[in-house]
């Protein structure tokens, strides 16, 4: 039984789909199906229960669950051995690919990179920006090593570390707006005003819960994925944008200001990566530095 095929099997267990697992592994679906079938024949046991016609979801048999547990242990041991050997190398170079939304927590990336640069200047960082949906898609496709995301984590698919950071929700507005005289913004302040809201927040319903109205009852004039684009619409007087603090610079000569919501609304941040992922030496060093930073913070 090859380690490579064990990784294939764990990808199927994680995705609960041979099609999605094949996409994440950059394999064709027939190739992956053949590999899994060969493993079942080698062991003489059925490992997966394939869905009925029209359903691509697969579930593990009892033997499949046993294999998943042992495969995790085997691959963890292999990774530990590789790390121990790699630590003896004096030169570590490579690329670390990270997906992140607009958040002040990106400072953790910068701090980790700055510290690592002192010892490992050959490590380079590539950041792809987008909302949580974009980050998860990039992670599932294997295009990034780590994702920085808000909210809860699907621990059946991802490992995670909570960051000691919370982003504060509020309203971005022009300094000459009527609401700019207030220190905080209540739900009632926004009921009859034109709003620009996060497309993701609009979909998951958390804004509706805070503002105490259905989205259809509000005057939503635009939605956005990145707050920078929303800030341009605010500056042109289109409406009030609901988003995170510290993303748009409102100091100095800026025409904009930010006011936090009341009751206060915050979001926690996690760094996540796919389960059973084998890191490069550069990515392993980055992960170690993130862990050290979270301890210090």
């Amino acid at each position: 039984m090859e380690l490579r095929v064990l990784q294939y099997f764990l990808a199927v267990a994680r995705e609960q789909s041979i099609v999605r697992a094949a996409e994440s592994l950059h394999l064709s679906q027939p190739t992956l199906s053949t590999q899994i079938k060969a493993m079942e024949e080698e062991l003489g046991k059925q490992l997966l229960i394939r869905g009925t016609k029209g359903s691509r979801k697969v579930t593990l048999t009892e033997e499949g669950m046993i294999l998943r547990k042992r495969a995790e242990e085997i691959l963890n041991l292999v990774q530990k051995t590789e790390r121990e050997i790699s630590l003896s190398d004096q030169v570590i170079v490579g690329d670390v690919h990270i997906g992140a939304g607009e958040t002040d927590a990106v400072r953790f990336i910068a701090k980790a990179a700055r510290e690592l640069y002192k010892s490992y200047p050959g490590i380079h960082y590539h950041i792809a920006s987008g909302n949580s949906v974009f980050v998860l898609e990039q992670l599932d496709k294997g295009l990034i090593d780590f994702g920085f995301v808000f909210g809860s984590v699907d621990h059946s698919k991802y490992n995670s570390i909570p960051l000691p950071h919370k982003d504060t929700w509020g309203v971005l507005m022009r300094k000459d707006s009527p609401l700019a005289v207030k220190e905080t913004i209540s739900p009632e302040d926004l009921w009859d005003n034109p709003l620009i809201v996060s497309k993701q927040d609009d979909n998951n319903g958390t804004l509706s819960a805070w503002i105490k109205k259905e989205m259809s009852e509000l005057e939503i004039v635009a939605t956005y994925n990145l707050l920078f684009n929303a800030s341009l619409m605010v500056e042109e007087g289109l409406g009030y944008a609901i988003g995170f603090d510290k993303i748009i610079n409102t100091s100095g000569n800026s025409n904009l200001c930010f006011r936090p919501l009341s009751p206060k609304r915050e979001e926690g941040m996690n760094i996540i990566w796919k389960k059973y992922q084998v890191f490069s030496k550069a990515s392993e060093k980055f992960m170690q530095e993130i862990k050290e930073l979270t301890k210090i913070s």
Side-chain angles (χ1 to χ4, degrees):
M1 190 182 306
E2 298 181 29
L3 293 177
R4 171 179 54 84
V5 182
L6 285 179
Q7 290 176 322
Y8 292 172
F9 172 74
L10 289 177
V12 174
R14 178 188 68 232
E15 301 291 348
Q16 297 183 317
S17 165
I18 291 179
V19 173
R20 289 199 301 271
E23 290 175 352
S24 71
L25 293 166
H26 306 294
L27 296 172
S28 69
Q29 184 268 328
T31 297
L32 181 57
S33 294
T34 299
Q35 294 283 349
I36 298 300
K37 190 65 177 176
M39 175 184 282
E40 290 179 318
E41 291 175 355
E42 179 183 352
L43 296 173
K45 295 289 184 180
Q46 182 181 353
L47 302 174
L48 303 175
I49 300 174
R50 280 74 172 176
T52 57
K53 189 174 182 180
S55 172
R56 295 182 176 180
K57 184 175 181 180
V58 299
T59 56
L60 298 179
T61 63
E62 184 177 348
E63 291 79 9
M65 289 187 282
I66 293 172
L67 179 60
R68 180 178 63 182
K69 182 176 185 299
R70 295 306 181 195
E72 290 172 356
E73 294 171 352
I74 291 168
L75 293 177
N76 284 337
L77 181 58
V78 170
Q79 291 177 27
K80 184 174 184 294
T81 304
E82 289 176 342
R83 286 196 297 269
E84 290 172 349
I85 293 173
S86 69
L87 288 176
S88 64
D89 294 343
Q90 296 300 312
V91 179
I92 295 180
V93 298
D95 299 296
V96 179
H97 295 268
I98 304 162
E102 291 181 303
T103 167
D104 193 54
V106 171
R107 293 182 183 276
F108 273 86
I109 300 174
K111 290 177 181 178
R114 180 194 64 199
E115 291 302 312
L116 286 176
Y117 183 77
K118 299 173 184 177
S119 302
Y120 308 104
I123 298 178
H124 303 284
Y125 306 88
H126 309 277
I127 301 177
S129 298
N131 61 21
S132 292
V133 173
F134 167 82
V135 171
L136 293 177
E137 286 178 351
Q138 294 285 295
L139 196 60
D140 289 343
K141 292 177 180 178
L143 300 177
I144 58 176
D145 303 304
F146 305 100
F148 281 67
V149 297
F150 295 103
S152 60
V153 175
D154 182 356
H155 287 105
S156 68
K157 295 179 64 175
Y158 310 108
N159 291 318
S160 68
I161 297 176
L163 299 181
H165 174 91
K166 288 185 181 296
D167 276 302
T168 300
W169 283 92
V171 180
L172 188 68
M173 65 188 78
R174 290 170 56 108
K175 288 180 179 177
D176 59 2
S177 299
L179 294 182
V181 298
K182 300 175 69 69
E183 292 185 2
T184 61
I185 303 300
S186 68
E188 293 79 7
D189 292 328
L190 302 178
W191 285 353
D192 298 317
N193 280 299
L195 304 180
I196 304 168
V197 303
S198 164
K199 189 173 184 179
Q200 181 176 318
D201 196 60
D202 180 16
N203 289 336
N204 66 25
T206 56
L207 175 59
S208 180
W210 177 84
I211 208 167
K212 302 174 185 176
K213 278 185 177 290
E214 295 297 326
M215 303 304 290
S216 59
E217 300 178 86
L218 302 172
E219 188 182 349
I220 298 176
V221 294
T223 63
Y224 68 87
N225 283 341
L226 298 176
L227 187 58
F228 175 75
N229 293 332
S231 73
L232 299 180
M233 292 188 278
V234 172
E235 198 163 2
E236 291 300 320
L238 181 60
Y240 295 88
I242 302 176
F244 289 135
D245 193 8
K246 300 181 181 179
I247 305 302
I248 304 300
N249 184 4
T250 58
S251 62
N253 295 325
S254 172
N255 293 325
L256 304 178
C257 62
F258 182 90
R259 298 291 183 264
L261 301 181
S262 178
K264 190 174 184 179
R265 184 179 164 208
E266 294 180 322
E267 290 280 359
M269 171 71 68
N270 294 279
I271 177 172
I272 66 173
W273 62 97
K274 292 172 75 171
K275 280 194 169 184
Y276 325 121
Q277 182 169 334
V278 179
F279 286 132
S280 66
K281 295 176 183 178
S283 295
E284 182 68 32
K285 286 295 182 184
F286 177 77
M287 172 56 66
Q288 291 173 3
E289 190 60 38
I290 287 289
K291 288 180 178 178
E292 287 301 315
L293 283 176
T294 55
K295 289 178 185 177
I296 294 171
S297 300

